[in-house]
Amino acid sequence: MKPGSIAIVGAAETTDLGVIPHLSQIQLHADAALNALRDAALKPADIDGVACAGEMPTNVAHYLGIVPKWVDGTSVGGCSFMLHVRHAAAAIGAGLCTTVLITHGESGRSRIGALPRTIPPASLQGQFEAPYGIYGPPTMFTIPVLRYMKTYGVTEAQLATVCVVQREWAAKNPRAMMRDPITVEDVLNSRMIAYPFRLLMCCLVTDGGGALILASADRARDFPRKAVYILGTGESVESPMISQMADFTSSRAFRVAGKQAFDSAGIRPSDVDHLMIYDAFAHLPLYGLEDLGFVGRGEAAAFIAERNTAPGGKLPLNTNGGGLSYTHTGMYGMFALQETVRQVRGTAAAQVKDVEVAVCHGVGGMFAASGTIVMADRQP
Amino acid sequence: MTQRPLPEITPETRHFWEGTRAGELRLQKCSACAQAYFPPRPFCPQCGSRDVAVIRASGRATLLSYVIHHRNVPGFVPPYSIAVVQLEEGPRMMTNIVEVEQTPAALRLDMPLEVVFQALNEEISLPLFRPAASSPSARGSVA
């Protein structure tokens, strides 16, 4: 893909966000899709490519009455939508389709029409992790952190600071689920979930969805909204088992996806005006900042504590409040992408001034997958 | 008490579970590149060679990282550790650290560990790890 040759021309979240017991999962996809179609002044008949995760693209295309000639059901967890953006950009560039709809919908909290969460007992994870009492992401995603903290001398208070700073961003966002200010003491005194992780270091569990529409940048002026250009993209996977992650202080998938995205965009970390790093737990921004090259090894906690990523700081990070305070349906990556689009368009609740280049970095599974998208407000 | 989730043995993992039932921790080793590896598969994940052998591991390991889980899970009494250990032969595996207080003070990273086997039924014995006998924090001596 030539940098800037593909654009996001429509973007929207579900009408409601947080607790939505009156909508099933497939309708959350549809609600977000209809909002994004309105944003782009398009009808379902204008869409010829469909990508989604959680639901099969078959279900979403049929439900919305779309006749696709390109589909992508890549489902590698919460960053699936970053991979969809990458694949869609390549497909549009190759002439396989012209107008792609990417949807997310998840009834993560109310569990209406949701898919069952099970680990097959014959899978490698079922045989070699499930018997040890793993119980959802708080017992797996969190395991590497004590090693990271020992290696770099990072304290529990520094880990808590990540949550405090993100709550400052959330306080500016009326759609954020958690907006009341918190202190490091509040975080450290919240209920212990899986030492060293307290409740406030873990993401929310919510209902919601989002959708994106991509088209060739040549058509950007055909749409009512300011186009957001795709400059570069990257993706990778590592292991479905946290116990087999090669380095507990750094994610290989982050490094591979991030390098591809930055190299293909032709940018360096110093070029980035706004950053989203998928924060299912408090340590994710630390790994992301280091693995993407924004700071050196072991420097991320101090970087955040010194308020570089806070409101007014030089590298605004997770400006919607993140998975920790904004919303987290289960596959949060779509919401990170939505915030990046809003910031580049200049329409965010906590708008950062003059965002020209923005990076949106996602994780899937427990450091199992990653996708990185570089967006810009203009073609290079 | 409801039991832990039971693994379902596959043809590629049978040697491992037969080993734990016999009181052995079995890994595989590539004859081409000499790499020991885990979890089981009948080829080397490093070089792709199918020329691999089952080896008996020493059962010695060190504590790489862990969490102490505080919520109720069927088959477990919280708080309990969920750990990843570094085996002497190189590979890593998830396990629970047992026969030691489930506290940050007692569970020190890099502490030496040794394997023990817990029979869940006639077919499945689970490899767990405890402080090594020579370790200063061995069973019963934790402050």
Side-chain angles (χ1 to χ4, degrees):
Chain A
M1 185 200 77
K2 187 166 161 285
S5 63
I6 308 295
I8 295 172
V9 299
E13 295 177 355
T14 44
T15 308
D16 298 319
L17 196 61
V19 184
I20 318 175
H22 60 285
L23 296 184
S24 69
Q25 181 163 292
I26 186 72
Q27 183 57 30
L28 290 170
H29 279 260
D31 184 57
L34 294 171
N35 287 345
L37 286 164
R38 188 182 57 204
D39 189 63
L42 293 175
K43 301 239 174 299
D46 300 317
I47 300 295
D48 63 358
V50 170
C52 59
E55 291 285 344
M56 285 206 298
T58 324
N59 301 358
V60 171
H62 167 260
Y63 196 69
L64 286 163
I66 291 168
V67 183
K69 54 188 185 191
W70 176 87
V71 297
D72 180 10
T74 301
S75 189
V76 292
C79 65
S80 297
F81 316 102
M82 283 78 173
L83 277 65
H84 295 155
V85 167
R86 185 169 205 246
H87 302 171
I92 294 167
L96 302 182
C97 53
T98 64
T99 317
V100 172
L101 171 69
I102 303 171
T103 65
H104 164 63
E106 192 165 0
S107 186
R109 187 183 188 93
S110 302
R111 309 294 298 162
I112 310 298
L115 303 171
R117 295 166 171 158
T118 55
I119 300 172
S123 67
L124 289 179
Q125 192 184 29
Q127 293 190 60
F128 300 109
E129 291 192 338
Y132 298 106
I134 57 174
Y135 193 65
T139 58
M140 294 181 273
F141 224 150
T142 50
I143 288 178
V145 168
L146 284 182
R147 175 55 55 181
Y148 175 88
M149 291 168 74
K150 177 170 181 176
T151 301
Y152 296 119
V154 171
T155 64
E156 291 177 43
Q158 284 180 308
L159 196 58
T161 301
V162 175
C163 318
V164 173
V165 169
Q166 287 196 198
R167 185 61 65 85
E168 290 183 38
W169 284 111
K172 300 171 179 292
N173 190 340
R175 264 170 72 91
M177 178 174 256
M178 306 300 274
R179 294 192 298 273
D180 294 336
I182 52 173
T183 65
V184 167
E185 289 69 34
D186 291 336
V187 177
L188 294 179
N189 290 329
S190 64
R191 183 160 54 91
M192 186 67 83
I193 301 295
Y195 171 84
F197 282 81
R198 278 80 171 178
L199 182 66
L200 291 179
M201 296 173 175
C202 305
C203 68
L204 304 167
V205 180
T206 63
D207 306 324
L212 296 168
I213 297 170
L214 274 68
S216 166
D218 299 339
R219 297 168 59 203
R221 70 177 69 85
D222 299 343
F223 300 94
R225 297 285 231 143
K226 175 181 158 70
V228 173
Y229 297 91
I230 308 295
L231 272 199
T233 62
E235 67 187 286
S236 193
V237 295
E238 186 174 348
S239 167
M241 305 166 76
I242 192 68
S243 61
Q244 302 308 311
M245 180 182 184
D247 180 349
F248 274 2
T249 70
S250 168
S251 162
R252 187 188 77 190
F254 280 18
R255 297 194 307 270
V256 174
K259 180 169 172 28
Q260 288 180 87
F262 279 67
D263 287 354
S264 60
I267 64 157
R268 293 174 302 178
S270 57
D271 298 320
V272 177
D273 303 311
H274 175 265
L275 177 62
M276 296 297 289
I277 297 174
Y278 189 133
D279 56 325
F281 294 90
H283 59 307
L284 270 294
L286 305 182
Y287 285 66
L289 283 168
E290 294 175 14
D291 287 335
L292 296 178
F294 286 98
V295 298
R297 290 274 157 231
E299 295 175 2
F303 186 75
I304 289 176
E306 288 158 8
R307 302 193 60 74
N308 288 296
T309 64
K314 67 179 179 188
L315 183 62
L317 168 67
N318 293 345
T319 50
N320 59 353
L324 292 171
S325 289
Y326 178 65
T327 205
H328 194 293
T329 52
M331 292 190 285
Y332 164 80
M334 175 57 81
F335 299 98
L337 288 164
Q338 294 287 336
E339 175 67 5
T340 304
V341 169
R342 287 190 295 261
Q343 288 286 352
V344 176
R345 283 176 168 182
T347 61
Q351 181 63 45
V352 172
K353 199 161 172 287
D354 302 328
V355 176
E356 296 178 8
V357 175
V359 168
C360 189
H361 180 73
V363 68
M366 320 297 150
F367 287 120
S370 188
T372 313
I373 305 295
V374 184
M375 302 187 204
D377 70 338
R378 68 198 73 176
Q379 289 179 290
Chain B
M1 187 166 62
T2 317
Q3 212 182 25
R4 297 169 184 251
L6 284 171
E8 186 179 313
I9 297 173
T10 50
E12 296 80 17
T13 65
R14 185 161 297 282
H15 67 272
F16 180 86
W17 295 112
E18 286 177 353
T20 57
R21 199 174 52 187
E24 290 184 9
L25 188 66
R26 293 178 183 167
L27 300 173
Q28 287 164 297
K29 189 169 185 177
C30 176
S31 305
C33 74
Q35 171 102 352
Y37 65 88
F38 176 86
R41 73 209 86 167
F43 60 93
C44 172
Q46 189 75 20
C47 74
S49 169
R50 292 174 188 264
D51 185 9
V52 298
V54 173
I55 61 167
R56 179 179 181 175
S58 69
R60 287 190 289 271
T62 55
L63 181 53
L64 183 66
S65 203
Y66 67 93
V67 293
I68 303 174
H69 194 215
H70 284 251
R71 295 177 298 172
N72 286 310
V73 177
F76 292 83
V77 180
Y80 64 94
S81 61
I82 307 172
V84 174
V85 297
Q86 174 75 58
L87 300 176
E88 190 173 59
E89 292 78 9
R92 295 167 177 180
M93 61 187 299
M94 186 175 280
T95 190
N96 303 119
I97 310 301
V98 296
E99 299 180 34
V100 62
E101 264 192 90
Q102 303 292 290
T103 62
L107 295 167
R108 292 171 296 101
L109 295 196
D110 303 310
M111 68 193 290
L113 304 165
E114 63 189 20
V115 72
V116 289
F117 298 97
Q118 180 181 330
L120 300 183
N121 59 27
E122 284 186 5
E123 187 181 41
I124 300 291
S125 285
L126 209 55
L128 307 177
F129 283 79
R130 66 185 179 196
S134 57
S135 163
S137 64
R139 289 148 283 157
S141 67
V142 173

